[in-house]
Amino acid sequence: MVTCRVRPVATIRKAPAYQTNMDVQQSVFEVTRETFQTDVIERSRSEPVVLLFWTDQVAPSVDTRKSMERLAQQYQGKFSLGLSDVTKDQIIARELRIQAVPSIRVIVNGGVAEQMDGPQGESVLRAMLDRLTMSSGEQLQATLDEVVDREDWDTAMTILQQALNEEPNNPKFKVEWADVLLHKGEPDEARKVLDTIPEDVADRQRPATRLELHEEAAAMRPLHEIAKAIEANPEELDSRYEIAVQLAVQRNYEEALQHLMFILQTDRSYRDDIGRETMVRIMNLMGKNSPIAKQYRRRMFNFMH
């Protein structure tokens, strides 16, 4: 008899890092009653096991199987995929209260941690898998990205304070802490945090660059004065550069890049190519997946080549 206890989703245990390089072919398997204890229950204590109940007689369940097999390949063994054809064996499906196909049950530490019934889009399946497999650092980054997009700095600080209380020496958390301090307009505090982060830590350059821009902006004219100067003389590049730095500090990246692109196209030799160099600095603040950064990388490349 198949037995499986139910527990809340909030207690999902993440797959350990050493599982990410396992043979993906071994992580997709057919579920049988005889091997359920070993292949599902015991395996779920070291990594999430996603059970898909399907049949080739129902087209949406075939599509879901193809999507899940493709995702298992992409996630490179961060979870195992168990396939149960309900036309061959309905006992497991009855035990797990499967009413229709396709249906998904996620088994973690021997219990049902999450379930989905009915056809699901690949984006929904991917979001579920992200919840199951993301590391604490990845989860932190995803949550931070959301609150930073809203410019909710107080919430961001609360998230980071909790993270640093749990892992006070985690350099990734310190990088984000320094960056949020700069967003809040506290460069002196950010500098103190940066001084505790080794130079070779991933992403340290992001808050370090942001701090450089803050320091530059502090020595410049106020934004409204620069705007008036540009209005009076649009070709004057010093004002163009100043306003770009000020706008970047305020996270108005697209407008900052517009001014820097103007500098690049007008006089690439201006201040030893500072227009291009500052474009690169600002695009690095925006992240690799920013559509605006991608757009201006293409524009910069096309102009230069």
Side-chain angles (χ1 to χ4, degrees):
M1 179 178 178
V2 176
T3 58
C4 196
R5 58 187 174 81
V6 179
R7 65 197 191 96
V9 177
T11 57
I12 288 175
R13 180 172 177 264
K14 308 298 177 201
Y18 62 78
Q19 293 288 332
T20 60
N21 293 322
M22 71 177 291
D23 185 349
V24 175
Q25 295 300 321
Q26 295 179 358
S27 68
V28 180
F29 58 93
E30 296 289 336
V31 176
T32 67
R33 281 174 286 164
E34 292 75 18
T35 61
F36 190 90
Q37 180 65 33
T38 300
D39 286 350
V40 177
I41 300 301
E42 293 181 13
R43 188 187 295 226
S44 76
R45 303 192 190 285
S46 61
E47 66 187 18
V49 178
V50 179
L51 297 180
L52 172 63
F53 295 87
W54 77 291
T55 172
D56 58 12
Q57 298 175 12
V58 178
S61 74
V62 176
D63 293 339
T64 301
R65 173 176 176 163
K66 291 178 180 177
S67 292
M68 288 303 304
E69 289 178 330
R70 183 165 56 250
L71 289 168
Q73 189 75 27
Q74 293 174 6
Y75 279 70
Q76 299 182 339
K78 289 184 178 180
F79 70 94
S80 289
L81 174 62
L83 303 171
S84 178
D85 187 339
V86 297
T87 60
K88 295 180 180 178
D89 187 343
Q90 296 185 358
I91 293 178
I92 298 174
R94 283 201 299 269
E95 289 288 335
L96 292 175
R97 300 178 182 179
I98 303 301
Q99 302 295 321
V101 292
S103 283
I104 288 174
R105 298 294 183 268
V106 178
I107 312 301
V108 178
N109 277 341
V112 178
E114 188 162 346
Q115 67 183 56
M116 290 182 174
D117 296 298
Q120 308 291 336
E122 190 160 313
S123 61
V124 175
L125 297 173
R126 191 180 293 277
M128 174 196 70
L129 295 173
D130 285 343
R131 291 194 298 273
L132 291 169
T133 61
M134 280 197 299
S135 68
S136 59
E138 291 169 330
Q139 288 178 312
L140 171 72
Q141 191 62 59
T143 304
L144 273 177
D145 288 345
E146 292 179 8
V147 297
V148 167
D149 284 344
R150 300 196 306 266
E151 298 189 359
D152 186 353
W153 310 128
D154 290 338
T155 299
M157 293 287 279
T158 299
I159 293 169
L160 285 164
Q161 283 174 336
Q162 181 178 353
L164 284 165
N165 284 340
E166 295 175 2
E167 299 181 48
N169 296 317
N170 188 317
K172 175 66 174 174
F173 297 162
K174 287 186 176 183
V175 165
E176 301 303 337
W177 179 261
D179 212 33
V180 171
L181 285 169
L182 288 164
H183 285 309
K184 284 174 62 67
E186 300 180 25
D188 291 339
E189 293 301 314
R191 189 180 297 103
K192 293 177 184 177
V193 175
L194 274 172
D195 288 343
T196 69
I197 305 172
E199 294 283 344
D200 59 351
V201 168
D203 287 339
R204 184 188 184 279
Q205 191 58 40
R206 171 162 39 91
T209 297
R210 201 182 304 279
L211 179 59
E212 290 173 2
L213 292 171
H214 270 266
E215 291 173 339
E216 282 188 66
M220 292 175 176
R221 294 170 290 174
L223 192 59
H224 68 277
E225 289 186 16
I226 307 170
K228 285 183 180 180
I230 292 174
E231 185 177 356
N233 184 4
E235 304 300 318
E236 201 266 298
L237 299 187
D238 287 340
S239 295
R240 291 278 187 172
Y241 178 72
E242 285 189 57
I243 201 168
V245 171
Q246 294 280 15
L247 290 168
V249 167
Q250 296 182 7
R251 300 182 72 245
N252 191 341
Y253 300 128
E254 184 170 12
E255 191 173 349
L257 289 170
Q258 289 173 358
H259 288 287
L260 293 167
M261 193 71 205
F262 180 89
I263 293 173
L264 179 62
Q265 292 172 329
T266 302
D267 182 2
R268 186 173 174 184
S269 66
Y270 169 74
R271 291 180 61 179
D272 296 326
D273 203 16
I274 200 170
R276 181 192 61 81
E277 291 178 359
T278 306
M279 287 183 74
V280 172
R281 288 196 293 165
I282 291 174
M283 288 186 288
N284 288 339
L285 296 180
M286 302 168 69
K288 296 179 181 178
N289 295 324
S290 165
I292 295 173
K294 289 179 180 179
Q295 174 191 347
Y296 276 89
R297 282 193 185 96
R298 285 194 300 269
R299 287 186 61 184
M300 185 173 65
F301 179 85
N302 290 337
F303 173 77
M304 292 170 59
H305 298 279

